[in-house]
Amino acid sequence: MNRTDQWADDGQGDDSRAGGVAEAFGQLYGAAPDGVWAAPGRVNLIGEHTDYNDGFALPVALPQNTLLAARARTDGLLRLHSAQGDGRITELSVAALAPGAVTGWAAYPAGVVWALAGAGHPVGGADLHFDSTVPTGAGLSSSAALECVVAVAYDELYQLGLPGPELARIAQRAENAFAGVPCGIMDQMASVCCTAEAALHLDARTPWDHRQVPLDLRGQGLGLLVIDTRVSHDLGDGAYAALRAGCERAAALLGLPALRDLDAAGLHKALDALPAELVPLVRHVVTENARVVEAVSRLREGDAAALGPILTAGHASLRDDYRVSCPETDLAVAAAVDAGALGARMTGGGFGGSVIALVEAGSEGAVGGAVTAAFGAAGHRPPRLFAVTPAAGARRLVPQLARAVGR
Ligand code: ADP
Ligand code: MG
């Protein structure tokens, strides 16, 4: 890949992988798949740690997808294989699926089948083969991509006809109750409901009422650089649950259903009423929701460059108030801004993962190079860099479904 290609991802690459994934399926399972589906990873432009507070977020889908070749089975067997797995086929019985019964990566896709069945949908078994270009564990939501691609495939294989937000809710339930990760709904909503050339304005209280906000970065002379710091600090999972519990406790003390119900006008009075340790959490959530509203207004006015300072302010809030950044993400943000980025912030749950930088088109290489140099000087491994344009959400790639259950 030459340098120009690296910075100009057109988002079409993954669609052309469908044939190869179908072929690999045939070799594994000895038959052609019923279809091939794709679900992307995401970066969140702004609105971090707000979804589980019933608040706002503004994700875009990545051009990188998890592909799934799938074939329905009538015997209740669920077989799973991933090109990124351990080479084995995992065999499960749909009837025996229960939280705790499946460990490792298979818990995410199996959890979706369990959640669909638990919601009363008439689903059975399938043969599944996954192949993904979404970096895993990088804060880019490979877990949501893995869940959501199963949700959209099952929706068609078993002719459920569920709307996108319902598929996202099922996928979130799989991650929460089956894989045991207490995430909000943003990642799954982004993976299912994003559209190309747009950011998804999500209100986590009413996910079905999401809005597409047009975002033609290139048309506005801008680029979005993703900087995967390639660090993931272990304190992540327990800390996430503790933060979530802190927010819920603050809302309860304030007599509110969720922190989303507190606005900037009521913030100061509310902060006076809270124990000191909850003050910065509440301040982050309230100011972060306001930043999403502001960002959406700027985008609607056609001024995507105005997102820059909003991103950087969001990072300061994550670093100083919510305290989920780490030296590597702070360095990436500082180095990107020093090198001329319009703004930058950590994206995803935190404690490592990825940083996004909004840059002037053509300066991706210079900004990325400056971040790499800063990482080298600090003794960190070089980050992984790529530019993205907002891409499409989950979809079927192979046009005709060859076979459907019941036919
Ligand atoms: P993120 O969602 O930010 O990538 P997570 O820790 O939430 O990070 O999810 C990463 C996990 O998801 C991996 O450790 C693995 O278990 C699973 N996973 C994601 N994509 C795949 C894949 N293509 N094949 C197998 N497992 C995957
Ligand atoms: Mg995840």
Side-chain angles (χ1 to χ4, degrees):
M1 181 187 282
N2 68 34
R3 202 149 187 91
T4 314
D5 290 336
Q6 183 184 359
W7 302 121
D9 196 328
D10 62 7
Q12 298 307 306
D14 272 345
D15 292 42
S16 62
R17 293 197 296 121
V21 174
E23 213 175 292
F25 179 99
Q27 278 159 17
L28 280 164
Y29 296 115
D34 292 335
V36 179
W37 289 263
R42 62 95 191 92
V43 288
N44 186 22
L45 294 177
I46 191 73
E48 212 66 74
H49 288 280
T50 45
D51 58 355
Y52 54 80
N53 290 298
D54 271 3
F56 309 129
L58 194 63
V60 300
L62 295 177
Q64 288 90 341
N65 289 271
T66 297
L67 266 55
L68 165 61
R71 181 180 173 92
R73 297 179 62 98
T74 51
D75 61 359
L77 201 62
L78 180 63
R79 299 199 291 178
L80 309 105
H81 179 272
S82 170
Q84 288 73 46
D86 57 9
R88 288 184 305 138
I89 295 176
T90 301
E91 279 200 19
L92 303 164
S93 152
V94 172
L97 292 176
V102 184
T103 55
W105 73 270
Y108 298 95
V112 174
V113 178
W114 168 81
L116 282 168
H121 300 298
V123 293
D127 288 338
L128 309 177
H129 167 62
F130 301 91
D131 196 348
S132 181
T133 54
V134 184
T136 56
L140 301 173
S141 253
S142 70
S143 59
L146 184 56
E147 294 148 7
C148 292
V149 79
V150 176
V152 293
Y154 257 69
D155 187 57
E156 282 197 53
L157 288 175
Y158 284 94
Q159 301 173 351
L160 306 178
L162 297 174
E166 181 56 18
L167 295 175
R169 201 186 61 82
I170 292 278
Q172 181 204 11
R173 178 149 172 71
E175 182 141 355
N176 290 172
F178 205 87
V181 183
C183 62
I185 200 169
M186 178 198 33
D187 298 347
Q188 290 79 12
M189 277 298 293
S191 188
V192 174
C193 296
C194 277
T195 56
E197 301 286 330
L200 183 83
H201 184 199
L202 170 68
D203 178 341
R205 178 164 280 168
T206 53
W208 55 89
D209 196 22
H210 57 278
R211 307 283 156 92
Q212 307 293 341
V213 186
L215 178 54
D216 175 13
L217 286 171
R218 278 194 217 160
Q220 296 196 39
L222 299 170
L224 188 63
L225 182 63
V226 177
I227 303 158
D228 170 9
T229 64
R230 299 166 79 201
V231 297
S232 173
H233 295 289
D234 275 349
L235 55 163
D237 273 0
Y240 187 97
L243 289 162
R244 191 173 173 155
C247 289
E248 282 162 11
R249 190 154 71 89
L253 287 170
L254 294 168
L256 300 169
L259 288 184
R260 175 286 180 51
D261 297 295
L262 184 61
D263 62 13
L267 180 60
H268 283 293
K269 197 159 158 249
L271 294 185
D272 287 344
L274 288 172
E277 75 273 15
L278 297 180
V279 164
L281 296 189
V282 174
R283 193 165 46 216
H284 167 75
V285 172
V286 172
T287 60
E288 185 78 350
N289 276 328
R291 280 186 285 273
V292 176
V293 173
E294 170 80 10
V296 169
S297 298
R298 297 286 85 81
L299 288 185
R300 293 262 182 226
E301 290 162 5
D303 186 7
L307 255 55
I310 300 174
L311 301 191
T312 309
H315 186 76
S317 183
L318 288 172
R319 182 191 61 213
D320 302 336
D321 273 346
Y322 223 66
R323 302 198 174 194
V324 290
S325 73
C326 64
E328 294 87 349
T329 52
D330 291 346
L331 180 62
V333 167
V337 171
D338 278 353
L342 301 170
R345 64 181 285 274
M346 189 200 90
T347 187
F351 312 105
S354 295
V355 162
I356 52 169
L358 185 69
V359 301
E360 283 170 8
S363 72
E364 290 90 347
V367 172
V371 175
T372 302
F375 268 48
H380 304 318
R381 278 199 299 169
R384 185 160 31 178
L385 305 164
F386 54 95
V388 296
T389 45
R395 64 213 178 273
R396 179 153 46 82
L397 294 183
V398 175
Q400 278 304 316
L401 188 60
R403 195 180 65 112
V405 170
R407 277 202 270 132

